[in-house]
């Protein structure tokens, strides 16, 4: 009887391990919709969970994760997000989408912002578009957000 009990316990343990692995794969960032990825990102920002928030960012300005994390940590603390809601979703193609949200930020009140989402290696990310410098008519430099990725 002892041998059968051990085999049963091993079988049950293997089933639980298999269920855990399937659940982990199903709930991984790769299976999230763009809306869910953005929501997870914004909840992380709201809760000042910088490590989790920067995992959802694709920002070409930073070459290493440490400087990316340091920059966004300061930004999230100085402009504290207190609430958000999605107001519009526009599919651009299979790998990009624009999601507009109403944001409540301590330092500026309510504002609307459109997040450009991209699918990179199966995971949806908030894409921070690079700015381009253009010269204005009197020779001064002005900054403009690039539309190259749209």
């Amino acid at each position: 009887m002892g041998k059968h009990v051990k085999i049963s316990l091993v079988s049950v343990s293997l089933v639980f391990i298999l269920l855990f692995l399937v659940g982990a794969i199903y709930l991984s960032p790769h299976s999230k919709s763009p809306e869910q990825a953005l929501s997870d990102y914004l909840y992380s920002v709201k809760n000042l969970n910088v490590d989790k928030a920067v995992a959802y960012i694709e920002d070409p300005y930073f070459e290493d994760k440490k400087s990316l994390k340091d920059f966004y940590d300061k930004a999230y603390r100085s402009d504290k997000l207190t609430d958000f809601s999605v107001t519009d979703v526009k599919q651009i193609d299979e790998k990009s989408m624009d999601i507009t949200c109403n944001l409540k930020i301590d330092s500026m009140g309510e504002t609307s912002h459109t997040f450009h989402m991209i699918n990179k290696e199966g995971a949806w990310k908030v894409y921070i578009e690079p700015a381009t410098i253009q010269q204005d008519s009197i020779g001064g430099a002005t900054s403009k957000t690039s539309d190259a990725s749209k």
Side-chain angles (χ1 to χ4, degrees), residues 82-143:
T82 58
D83 200 12
F84 65 91
S85 62
V86 173
T87 59
D88 190 38
V89 176
K90 290 183 182 170
Q91 183 81 35
I92 297 169
D93 58 36
E94 288 181 8
K95 296 208 175 244
S96 62
M97 178 179 283
D98 285 340
I99 303 175
T100 303
C101 295
N102 281 336
L103 306 173
K104 287 184 184 176
I105 300 173
D106 278 346
S107 63
M108 59 179 84
E110 263 189 67
T111 187
S112 179
H113 182 76
T114 300
F115 294 90
H116 184 63
M117 305 294 293
I118 62 167
N119 190 301
K120 183 173 182 184
E121 299 171 1
W124 285 96
K125 305 263 186 172
V126 176
Y127 183 71
I128 310 300
E129 296 187 48
T132 57
I133 304 297
Q134 297 180 336
Q135 217 165 357
D136 67 17
S137 59
I138 56 173
T142 59
S143 176

Side-chain angles (χ1 to χ4, degrees), residues 36-45 53 56-57 72 76 115 126:
Q36 185 61 51
L38 179 61
S39 180
D40 288 353
Y41 164 72
L42 291 171
Y43 274 114
S44 299
V45 171
Y56 287 99
I57 295 175
Y72 283 100
Y76 298 154
F115 294 90
V126 176

Side-chain angles (χ1 to χ4, degrees), residues 16-32:
F16 279 116
I17 290 170
L18 181 62
L19 288 173
F20 175 77
L21 291 173
V22 168
I25 291 168
Y26 178 73
L27 297 174
S28 75
H30 294 278
S31 66
K32 292 183 180 184

Side-chain angles (χ1 to χ4, degrees), residues 21-81:
L21 291 173
V22 168
I25 291 168
Y26 178 73
L27 297 174
S28 75
H30 294 278
S31 66
K32 292 183 180 184
S33 69
E35 296 92 337
Q36 185 61 51
L38 179 61
S39 180
D40 288 353
Y41 164 72
L42 291 171
Y43 274 114
S44 299
V45 171
K46 181 179 174 182
N47 295 320
L48 297 176
N49 185 341
V50 180
D51 288 324
K52 186 173 180 183
V54 298
Y56 287 99
I57 295 175
E58 182 64 30
D59 189 337
Y61 287 111
F62 297 95
E63 293 182 13
D64 64 88
K65 290 287 185 189
K66 183 181 178 344
S67 56
L68 174 87
K69 183 181 170 193
D70 290 346
F71 175 82
Y72 283 100
D73 184 41
K74 288 177 188 173
Y76 298 154
R77 291 179 192 286
S78 68
D79 293 325
K80 178 85 171 94
L81 177 68

